[in-house]
Amino acid sequence: MAGRKMLIGGEENQSNVEDEAHYDFDLFVIGAGSGGVRAARFSANFGAKVGICELPFHPISSEVIGGVGGTCVIRGCVPKKILVYGGAFGGELEDAKSFGWELNEKIDFNWKKLLQKKTDEIIRLNNIYKRLLSNAGVKLYEGEGRIVGPNEVQVTQIDGTKLSYSAKHILIATGSRAQRPNIPGQELAITSDEALSLEEFPKRVVILGGGYISVEFASIWRGMGANVDLCFRKELPLRGFDDEMRAAVARNLEGRGVQVHPRTTLTELVKTDRGVMARTDHGEEIEADVVLFATGRSPNTKRLNLEAVGVELDQTGAVKVDEYSRTSVPTIWAIGDVTNRMNLTPVALMEGTCFAKTVFGGQNIKPDYNYIACAVFSIPPLAVVGLSEEQAIEQANGDILVFTSSFNPMKNTISQRQEKTIMKLVVDAETDKVLGASMCGPDAPEIMQGIAIALKCGATKAQFDSTVGIHPSAAEEFVTMREASRRVPGAGKPKTNL
Ligand code: NDP
């Protein structure tokens, strides 16, 4: 595409990719996960010649990390959500009895069957992602990528063959991987990689960590009938989320039979005849079939040779980038978890799109991190957008109005399940602008996506109030919270009582 002019958004833009005939590619992407595939396809659609490399993956074994589709598709969001659906049937079957279903025969859960279905789906999606790349004209190399110069990538194939390619631009999109706490016997624990492919259903599980993955797997395995002990260091799980929502998640986990151990960590794992013994810092010993570490993820930068070519990393090992995802080396860019900005698949997609538009589309577009909704797929789930109450108080100049609703969902009135749905809106008292919304309850992620659009448009509480609800639904509660539960001053301001 040397010297070619492109018409984008009605304007003629001079392509950034000019006079690069001596390069093998306009762009070479290392890592074909969500962000890498998006950036490669969009760049190719803008006319760039694109190569991408990714390791081949084995659908069952988690020994080889890789696979076109990346963490989200192969060993993250997608297989996890399939297991969440599987786990949710446990509670649904209990509730069904109150709705007239006679479940007289013994009900069994077949883990192997679900895992096979999950694996079939992952293989299907992996093939779709490969097809997306080839349909866009992107050349895929199955091997491990390494940067050997500002315009040079080396790909080592599984048989050890090394291939070298030059590219005008290089994009690092290698994601992140699970990290393990360094305690004696840590090798006896698994991470979410293996948890998604366990051959046998674990009847007794100990989980360490209070983040997304620990809470989601506690819900999955408990829903399928396992005994689950969940240990985390803080008073409540899900640090960073709204405190009331964190308490609701903890309550719901306990209500569904998860044994919750707050302010607890594991100090040692020991192999036993029947499994693994996990010791806690309170001196407890809990024997389990499986111990899961869900203690965060770290950026995949170790084997890329980045320091040698001058790409700067931060103290967590993440690639440092500017607002446009450019690294300290002008020809090298990075997106997704490897940059440790906001580690979510849709964010990597946004960063990949902005990269392609900026570098090959002639438009300078920065990722916009405002009002990104996210969800924790616990059972029931938690979803949020914008500021939590604590963040709003910390960041606000003036007073904050907090509207809350805690109610028994209609379905629970019949099933007698003791589980409240909790909702919250945080509003700027002066401007009436809704700063944040949270919900813990059935369908929260599906509801929150729509609320996110409203907040992104700058919706006020008055506009929420003037919206007519859908009845009977839980979602209508978001437009009928009339009275504020409390008024709190922003940090440093005197408290104003309602
Ligand atoms: P998180 O960062 O969400 O949570 C890590 C947890 O591990 C925290 O509770 C932390 O405790 C605890 N922890 C860290 N180190 C130790 C240690 N040495 N000993 C004991 N506890 C420790 O990580 P996850 O692994 O759950 O998930 C990784 C990332 O994957 C998430 O941050 C998210 O970006 C992404 N993800 C997103 C999902 C979604 O969108 N639904 C689902 C799954 C993953 P403390 O709070 O005390 O520091």
Side-chain angles (χ1 to χ4, degrees):
M1 62 188 280
R4 179 141 48 99
K5 285 190 175 179
M6 294 176 293
L7 200 67
I8 297 151
E11 285 177 31
E12 200 176 38
N13 290 284
Q14 183 72 39
S15 163
N16 290 351
V17 186
E18 290 187 356
D19 197 24
E20 71 289 349
H22 57 292
Y23 294 114
D24 296 324
F25 292 100
D26 296 321
L27 170 67
F28 200 97
V29 183
I30 304 180
S34 304
V37 169
R38 168 63 65 89
R41 288 173 53 219
F42 279 36
S43 299
N45 289 340
F46 282 123
K49 185 178 176 197
V50 184
I52 191 167
C53 68
E54 174 63 70
L55 282 161
F57 88 109
H58 188 284
I60 311 293
S61 155
S62 56
E63 276 168 27
V64 181
I65 299 292
V68 173
T71 302
C72 173
V73 171
I74 312 283
R75 53 184 75 79
C77 326
V78 174
K80 179 277 306 287
K81 186 83 188 273
I82 292 171
L83 297 194
V84 170
Y85 282 126
F89 279 107
E92 291 290 309
L93 287 170
E94 279 168 25
D95 293 351
K97 294 176 198 158
S98 301
F99 286 87
W101 290 90
E102 307 285 349
L103 305 169
N104 298 325
E105 285 173 36
K106 187 171 175 295
I107 297 171
D108 272 338
F109 170 66
N110 188 328
W111 169 257
K112 285 193 172 151
K113 187 169 177 179
L114 176 59
L115 270 213
Q116 187 55 54
K117 293 267 188 196
K118 181 252 354 170
T119 302
D120 293 347
E121 177 58 7
I122 300 313
I123 293 169
R124 188 181 76 86
L125 291 174
N126 174 250
N127 287 327
I128 287 177
Y129 269 73
K130 284 184 180 167
R131 235 179 5 256
L132 284 174
L133 287 173
S134 65
N135 288 348
V138 176
K139 175 91 179 107
L140 170 66
Y141 297 91
E142 292 205 305
E144 185 175 358
R146 188 169 170 268
I147 302 181
V148 288
N151 298 97
E152 189 92 11
V153 172
Q154 187 182 69
V155 180
T156 307
Q157 293 176 308
I158 283 292
D159 65 4
T161 316
K162 290 188 190 325
L163 308 165
S164 280
Y165 300 99
S166 61
K168 178 148 196 197
H169 298 274
I170 296 169
L171 178 67
I172 306 164
T174 48
S176 60
R177 68 179 62 209
Q179 62 180 18
R180 291 161 169 272
N182 192 13
I183 59 168
Q186 57 91 5
E187 68 286 351
L188 298 171
I190 62 166
T191 68
S192 54
D193 292 345
E194 296 90 2
L196 291 160
S197 301
L198 285 177
E199 276 182 32
E200 299 296 331
F201 178 65
K203 296 203 178 80
R204 302 166 303 163
V205 189
V206 172
I207 302 176
L208 177 63
Y212 286 82
I213 294 177
S214 63
V215 163
E216 291 178 345
F217 271 97
S219 290
I220 289 167
W221 281 325
R222 182 64 205 139
M224 293 169 180
N227 272 331
V228 179
D229 286 273
L230 174 63
C231 306
F232 48 86
R233 302 191 288 201
K234 298 283 185 305
E235 182 66 35
L236 291 169
L238 298 172
R239 178 163 58 89
F241 285 86
D242 189 286
D243 284 353
E244 261 179 86
M245 300 296 146
R246 297 169 69 195
V249 169
R251 220 169 28 243
N252 293 344
L253 287 169
E254 278 191 299
R256 289 189 179 233
V258 173
Q259 287 157 70
V260 175
H261 305 258
R263 298 175 306 278
T264 303
T265 191
L266 300 183
T267 53
E268 186 180 10
L269 303 182
V270 180
K271 180 112 195 68
T272 66
D273 292 345
R274 297 182 56 233
V276 180
M277 183 71 78
R279 288 215 171 89
T280 75
D281 56 351
H282 298 300
E284 290 166 290
E285 294 189 334
I286 315 167
E287 195 180 52
D289 301 317
V290 156
V291 176
L292 170 68
F293 285 163
T295 48
R297 297 177 65 86
S298 39
N300 261 335
T301 45
K302 286 218 172 82
R303 293 156 63 93
L304 291 169
N305 196 38
L306 295 180
E307 285 94 337
V309 290
V311 172
E312 284 177 24
L313 306 180
D314 70 14
Q315 69 276 26
T316 67
V319 179
K320 278 199 209 170
V321 286
D322 69 10
E323 292 173 305
Y324 293 95
S325 301
R326 192 174 217 143
T327 73
S328 50
V329 177
T331 52
I332 303 178
W333 307 70
I335 55 165
D337 282 15
V338 77
T339 61
N340 197 22
R341 285 177 279 184
M342 196 182 261
N343 299 334
L344 298 168
T345 296
V347 174
L349 294 175
M350 169 178 66
E351 291 167 353
T353 305
C354 292
F355 161 82
K357 286 183 174 173
T358 300
V359 179
F360 298 108
Q363 314 160 62
N364 284 342
I365 311 254
K366 297 177 201 168
D368 174 4
Y369 297 93
N370 287 316
Y371 296 111
I372 293 173
C374 71
V376 181
F377 291 93
S378 45
I379 303 172
L382 163 67
V384 303
V385 61
L387 302 181
S388 68
E389 181 175 345
E390 294 74 27
Q391 289 166 336
I393 293 168
E394 201 182 298
Q395 295 177 24
N397 295 319
D399 285 5
I400 298 298
L401 293 174
V402 182
F403 295 79
T404 54
S405 178
S406 167
F407 59 95
N408 216 11
M410 195 172 160
K411 192 172 160 201
N412 292 359
T413 60
I414 302 299
S415 67
Q416 297 297 305
R417 179 176 289 284
Q418 299 302 307
E419 195 169 73
K420 293 241 157 77
T421 286
I422 317 277
M423 289 178 176
K424 181 181 281 192
L425 288 177
V426 181
V427 177
D428 184 313
E430 197 183 319
T431 62
D432 198 40
K433 196 174 165 195
V434 181
L435 304 173
S438 328
M439 172 177 175
C440 182
D443 303 320
E446 307 296 337
I447 293 168
M448 200 55 65
Q449 186 66 80
I451 304 277
I453 300 172
L455 265 59
K456 188 108 190 169
C457 294
T460 60
K461 181 65 171 57
Q463 287 167 323
F464 269 67
D465 293 345
S466 70
T467 304
V468 176
I470 296 173
H471 186 73
S473 72
E476 67 179 321
E477 203 68 20
F478 269 123
V479 295
T480 54
M481 290 193 248
R482 299 279 176 244
E483 298 295 324
S485 308
R486 53 193 168 272
R487 182 182 186 114
V488 272
K493 285 208 134 198
K495 193 173 172 74
T496 327
N497 290 321
L498 264 185

